[in-house]
Amino acid sequence: MRVLLAGGGGFIGSHTAIALASAGHSPLVVDDLSNSHKMSLERMAQLAGVDIPVLVADVRNETLVSEFLGRHGSIDAVIHLAGLKAVAESVAQPELYYGVNIGCTLAVLNLMKRHSIKNLVFSSSATVYGSSELVPHSEESRAGIGISNPYGKTKYMIEEILRDACAADDRLRVTALRYFNPVGAHPSGLIGENPKGTPNNLLPIVARVATGVLDEVTVFGADYPTADGTGVRDYIHVQDVARGHVRAAELYGSGFDAINLGTGKPASVLDVIRAYREASGVTIPYRTADRRPGDVPVSFADVAKAERLLGWRAELNLQDACRDDWNWQQTGAQDHLT
Ligand code: NAD
Ligand code: WQD
């Protein structure tokens, strides 16, 4: 299959492009490099062992993207990962987030129409479960209630847009993959998560403490109703997330489905700090502080639907993710990103 990855130069997209190539598919990438690096694209092609055509452009530039697609023959599926993802930034600049995330999605739908592409995989998020405390989160439970920030709301709104698009075209197939907390890195240590500026997510912060860039981890909340009092999440290795995309792109049929990509295994903030300490051999100082506004106490996935529809389940665990992330920190590959 020939598969276009919109936003394919980023953390999840680059691992997915490699997984597609390993499965015998032909990935193509459009990315404006607003949150990724040219060098990551080169490393992605090197690790994939195949030539990956890349267009550096905003996916909303439909003329340029359309010409690019026209040069590469018929496309079987699109994986749409393009957009902005920083929760706090989305609170400060909601117009930017609604404009980019929804604008990119409408552009992808237009391009698919123009090039008669009927299969779309969309990067959604467990954030669509909002304030629901019914765990594990099942795709059948109600989404969209109590989402605390504009970023999360764009994911829910986009799912609704894609449901409507499927209702209007009975040949369209859309799979919205609701990722839980993607972490880890490629085992080569050549690509991984490298957020521009100060990271917001737990694992990149823990990594920066382990490497001495930050002094300590601030643990947001030690009074949750959980075993050790800290927040609980479902941390899933990016390699597993990437494999999930391959299976989703291979789905045929029509209609809309949302599918969780998680391990189904809950882990607390202190579990993450412990796992990273064991992987790195480095002490990771932390201090507890107040809860972070908008955080739910516990979130983890019901993974039955992914197993049933995709024949997919997570194969790696939190320890594997910490090992691979630490390797990515140690190779020095991040210092040379341009
Ligand atoms: P990322 O920022 O590393 O990747 C997104 C890529 O999209 C980047 O390479 C960026 O340069 C590109 N991009 C942004 N705007 C673009 C535009 N207008 N045109 C073309 N390219 C553009 O993020 P990621 O972690 O790889 O996430 C991929 C997708 O998955 C995002 O949509 C994100 O919201 C979603 N998601 C991520 C997580 C997570 O924790 N990483 C969790 C759930 C959902
Ligand atoms: C995990 C846990 C924090 C930082 C966010 C988005 C979600 C999705 C993934 C894209 C929580 C705690 C964190 C810190 C801490 N992204 N924490 N100290 O909040 O589950 O999800 O990223 O879709 O939309 O909301 O992930 O990594 O920020 O937090 O104690 O410095 O770590 O309170 O319990 P979260 P996270």
Side-chain angles (χ1 to χ4, degrees):
M1 282 197 319
R2 198 171 282 124
V3 183
L4 174 72
L5 293 101
F11 173 47
I12 295 167
S14 55
H15 290 79
T16 299
I18 295 166
L20 282 164
S22 307
H25 301 303
S26 304
L28 293 82
V29 166
V30 176
D31 199 299
D32 66 358
L33 300 186
S34 55
N35 199 36
S36 48
H37 301 87
K38 198 163 161 282
M39 186 141 329
S40 302
L41 296 172
E42 288 162 17
R43 289 182 187 161
M44 172 180 82
Q46 177 196 332
L47 292 167
V50 294
D51 180 42
I52 300 181
V54 173
L55 174 70
V56 176
D58 191 315
V59 75
R60 291 168 294 174
N61 189 333
E62 291 175 36
T63 310
L64 265 185
V65 181
S66 196
E67 278 168 17
F68 174 70
L69 294 186
R71 287 199 298 278
H72 290 94
S74 72
I75 307 290
D76 302 290
V78 177
I79 299 179
H80 167 33
L81 314 109
L84 303 174
K85 64 165 186 175
V87 169
E89 186 182 57
S90 81
V91 174
Q93 300 183 66
E95 306 83 358
L96 177 69
Y97 272 68
Y98 289 116
V100 173
N101 289 3
I102 291 173
C104 285
T105 303
L106 297 178
V108 164
L109 286 173
N110 286 338
L111 284 160
M112 289 177 68
K113 209 169 244 178
R114 209 192 284 187
H115 292 268
S116 304
I117 307 167
K118 293 295 178 193
N119 190 0
L120 174 65
V121 178
F122 169 62
S123 294
S124 189
S125 168
T127 195
V128 302
Y129 293 114
S131 55
S132 168
E133 293 190 13
L134 261 183
V135 285
H137 291 300
S138 149
E139 297 87 344
E140 306 316 316
S141 58
R142 204 156 154 209
I145 308 292
I147 301 174
S148 63
N149 60 81
Y151 163 75
K153 289 178 190 169
T154 67
K155 292 295 175 190
Y156 180 69
M157 288 175 183
I158 292 168
E159 285 197 6
E160 292 295 293
I161 290 169
L162 297 175
R163 274 181 212 276
D164 289 345
C166 285
D169 178 353
D170 59 13
R171 291 188 306 140
L172 191 60
R173 164 81 216 169
V174 176
T175 310
L177 295 177
R178 293 177 176 168
Y179 319 148
F180 278 68
N181 293 63
V183 290
H186 193 271
S188 65
L190 287 178
I191 57 168
E193 191 168 17
N194 184 31
K196 290 188 175 170
T198 312
N200 298 295
N201 293 117
L202 179 63
L203 212 106
I205 290 171
V206 170
R208 285 191 193 194
V209 174
T211 52
V213 177
L214 295 175
D215 292 338
E216 61 182 8
V217 180
T218 304
V219 176
F220 295 136
D223 59 348
Y224 283 114
T226 60
D228 64 19
T230 67
V232 162
R233 296 290 184 274
D234 185 335
Y235 297 92
I236 175 152
H237 200 297
V238 65
Q239 291 282 87
D240 279 328
V241 173
R243 273 193 315 106
H245 286 74
V246 177
R247 303 309 295 258
E250 289 169 346
L251 276 182
Y252 54 89
S254 62
F256 177 94
D257 265 301
I259 303 180
N260 290 337
L261 286 189
T263 62
K265 298 193 173 67
S268 73
V269 175
L270 296 185
D271 289 335
V272 172
I273 293 175
R274 198 174 306 115
Y276 210 94
R277 187 186 64 217
E278 281 164 12
S280 63
V282 172
T283 306
I284 299 171
Y286 64 87
R287 73 178 167 87
T288 54
D290 289 346
R291 295 179 181 193
R292 187 172 62 178
D295 274 355
V296 289
V298 178
S299 171
F300 62 101
D302 180 328
V303 295
K305 190 170 180 185
E307 290 195 20
R308 185 162 43 84
L309 288 192
L310 303 178
W312 171 96
R313 64 189 309 171
E315 290 174 355
L316 301 169
N317 61 27
L318 178 60
Q319 284 69 25
D320 298 317
C322 292
R323 177 201 61 216
D324 291 338
D325 189 87
W326 180 241
N327 183 40
W328 156 239
Q329 305 298 330
Q330 294 302 101
T331 56
Q334 294 186 51
D335 302 339
H336 305 292
L337 287 176
T338 49

